[in-house]
């Protein structure tokens, strides 16, 4: 099976891997079968029998926890990087990854507040132990941006006051609402209540993303941000040597949220079809944090190796593509290195370990255990 795990690129025969996948599935070796189906799909992504068998198994291995769908990413080796992209995307190189589960959409503002046990959006502050004054100020300012971009029906952001219909303002002896002063907010259905369930939560710091992962993690299940390599593999969706999550055709208004900066809004996360792993919004929309520090010569080393290195860099790395970017920047491997940005978001991945007793408080612990082969990852 080492040969299967290490196989990558366009060398190989789709029929051979497809037959192997069916044999492994018949033996109930589902993880190895998923890897074999993935290889067969990469070699012939147009064959309907391969597509259907692969997706059926990926659906079976996916899990739902905390109300979130986590799609299964098979173990195996994929080609990371670009031969003709930016210098920090070169060279193309094979990266071997264990299997993991990736959130099918970015976390919404309502979901974040619910899981963190905060006041519901748009108030979005901790119910207990209020943050100190400066932290509250930062949170308050971030919530202004979220009001503008995270509301389900909003189609164009206005001054943030207009997005706070519950606030009242005084004009002499007259009391009025924000829409009378700042104008109506364009919404798909003005009669709908203001909700924050279907768009990505924005203005998320790296620490805020880490806090959510830490809160959800238990003795048996680890939640964390994906590495750059894990994010890029997930974005590619099993396709090989393609530019975008759907293939090499340039983005259009039918498959990607991009190129409408003047309209100031973000589409719902499930507005466009998922990629071939069942993941939505892996191109366009918003940037997403990864767990890696930015490194210009990063080559997607195994996660255990990455976190054993001392973190000398000053910037966390993000992946994905903001909604106002030109189509050439909506590829599977675009990145930049922000400290904090208005459109940064997070997407958690989830790992399971049924044999380790110590609570995982740091990513380093789970990676070391996995590398030493002491854990068994299973689905429900």
């Amino acid at each position: 099976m080492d040969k299967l795990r290490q196989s990558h690129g366009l060398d190989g025969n789709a029929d051979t891997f497809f037959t192997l996948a069916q044999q492994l599935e018949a033996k109930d070796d589902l993880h190895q079968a998923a890897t074999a189906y993935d290889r067969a799909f990469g070699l012939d992504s147009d064959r309907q029998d391969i597509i259907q068998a692969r997706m059926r198994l990926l659906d079976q291995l996916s899990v739902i926890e905390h109300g979130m769908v986590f799609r299964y990413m098979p173990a195996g080796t994929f080609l990371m990087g670009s031969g003709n992209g930016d210098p920090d995307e070169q060279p193309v190189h094979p990266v071997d990854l264990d299997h993991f589960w990736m959130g099918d959409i970015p976390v919404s503002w309502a979901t974040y507040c619910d899981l963190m046990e905060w006041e519901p959006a748009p108030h979005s502050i901790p119910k207990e132990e209020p943050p100190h004054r400066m932290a509250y100020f930062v949170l308050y300012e971030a919530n202004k941006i979220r009001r503008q971009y995270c509301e389900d029906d909003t189609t164009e952001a206005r001054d943030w006051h207009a997005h706070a219909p519950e606030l009242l303002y005084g004009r002499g002896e007259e009391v009025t609402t924000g829409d009378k002063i700042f104008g109506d907010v364009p919404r798909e259905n003005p009669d709908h209540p203001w909700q924050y369930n279907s768009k990505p939560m924005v203005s998320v710091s790296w620490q805020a993303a880490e806090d959510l992962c830490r809160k959800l993690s238990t003795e048996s299940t680890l939640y964390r941000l994906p590495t750059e390599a894990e994010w890029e593999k997930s974005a590619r969706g099993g396709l090989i040597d393609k530019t975008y999550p759907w293939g090499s055709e340039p983005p259009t208004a039918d498959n990607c949220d991009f190129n409408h900066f003047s309209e100031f809004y973000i589409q719902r996360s499930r507005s466009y079809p998922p990629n071939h792993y069942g993941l939505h919004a892996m191109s366009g929309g918003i940037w997403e944090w990864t767990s890696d520090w930015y490194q210009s010569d990063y080559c997607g080393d195994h996660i255990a190796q990455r976190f054993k290195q001392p973190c000398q860099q000053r910037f966390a790395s993000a992946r994905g593509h903001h909604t106002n970017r030109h189509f050439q920047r909506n590829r599977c491997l675009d990145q930049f290195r922000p400290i904090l940005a208005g459109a940064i978001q997070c997407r958690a991945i989830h790992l399971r370990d049924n044999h380790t007793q110590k609570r995982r408080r740091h990513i380093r612990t789970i990676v070391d255990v996995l590398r030493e082969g002491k854990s068994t990852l299973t689905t429900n």
Side-chain angles (χ1 to χ4, degrees), residues 210-344:
E210 284 287 292
D211 289 345
L212 175 62
C213 294
R214 186 178 299 111
K215 184 174 181 62
L216 297 182
S217 295
T218 66
E219 295 281 348
S220 61
T221 305
L222 173 79
Y223 293 83
R224 60 171 174 80
L225 294 174
T227 65
E228 283 197 63
E230 288 166 335
W231 196 98
E232 185 173 323
K233 174 175 179 171
S234 300
R236 291 184 178 278
L239 296 176
I240 299 173
D241 196 26
K242 303 296 183 182
T243 307
Y244 304 102
W246 54 84
S248 294
E249 301 77 18
T252 70
D254 295 325
N255 58 22
C256 186
D257 183 14
F258 78 108
N259 205 30
H260 54 80
F261 179 72
S262 61
E263 296 167 330
F264 292 102
Y265 76 97
I266 297 172
Q267 295 276 16
R268 292 182 174 92
S269 296
R270 289 193 172 92
S271 295
Y272 300 96
N275 71 1
H276 294 288
Y277 281 140
L279 301 174
H280 294 266
M282 295 302 287
S283 181
I286 43 84
W287 298 100
E288 296 182 13
W289 285 117
T290 71
S291 58
D292 287 319
W293 293 100
Y294 176 79
Q295 183 175 321
S296 61
D297 58 350
Y298 172 70
C299 283
D301 302 337
H302 190 285
I303 50 179
Q305 294 296 329
R306 295 290 301 135
F307 283 97
K308 285 179 179 176
Q309 303 298 324
C311 293
Q312 304 290 340
Q313 292 79 11
R314 296 173 56 194
F315 302 101
S317 178
R319 285 293 185 121
H321 329 277
H322 195 280
T323 188
N324 68 330
R325 294 305 294 262
H326 185 267
F327 77 85
Q328 290 181 339
R329 301 302 301 175
N330 284 286
R331 301 166 299 156
C332 294
L333 41 74
D334 284 335
Q335 65 177 24
F336 82 131
R337 42 177 180 164
I339 297 177
L340 178 65
I344 290 294

Side-chain angles (χ1 to χ4, degrees), residues 138-156:
V138 172
L139 184 57
Y140 182 73
E141 293 299 308
N143 285 345
K144 293 179 182 179
I145 300 173
R146 293 168 189 153
R147 282 180 179 267
Q148 294 172 290
Y149 291 97
C150 299
E151 201 276 320
D152 292 351
D153 282 305
T154 297
T155 58
E156 183 177 346

Side-chain angles (χ1 to χ4, degrees), residues 22-152:
Q22 292 173 313
Q23 293 171 348
L24 291 168
E25 188 174 13
K27 296 177 181 178
D28 206 31
D29 190 349
L30 301 186
H31 295 294
Q32 295 277 17
T35 298
Y37 277 131
D38 213 34
R39 284 294 296 133
F41 173 76
L43 292 167
D44 193 345
S45 59
D46 294 323
R47 273 185 55 176
Q48 288 302 309
D49 55 346
I50 295 177
I51 293 173
Q52 294 171 7
R54 173 180 177 270
M55 189 54 66
R56 184 187 65 248
L57 182 55
L58 294 183
D59 289 343
Q60 179 181 342
L61 290 170
S62 296
V63 297
I64 299 177
E65 292 195 2
H66 302 288
M68 297 184 291
V69 177
F70 289 88
R71 299 291 302 179
Y72 180 81
M73 305 294 113
T77 301
F78 83 107
L79 293 177
M80 182 176 183
S82 169
N84 55 10
D86 294 336
D88 57 0
E89 298 168 354
Q90 302 178 28
V92 176
H93 52 282
V95 178
D96 178 19
L97 295 174
D98 293 322
H99 65 258
F100 59 94
W101 288 261
M102 173 80 95
D104 75 326
I105 60 171
V107 178
S108 72
W109 193 13
T111 297
Y112 186 91
C113 292
D114 179 56
L115 296 177
M116 290 295 292
E117 301 180 279
W118 285 12
E119 294 291 342
H123 303 293
S124 187
I125 58 174
K127 293 179 180 179
E128 299 178 358
E129 301 181 12
H132 57 76
R133 187 171 180 178
M134 180 54 68
Y136 183 86
F137 172 77
V138 172
L139 184 57
Y140 182 73
E141 293 299 308
N143 285 345
K144 293 179 182 179
I145 300 173
R146 293 168 189 153
R147 282 180 179 267
Q148 294 172 290
Y149 291 97
C150 299
E151 201 276 320
D152 292 351

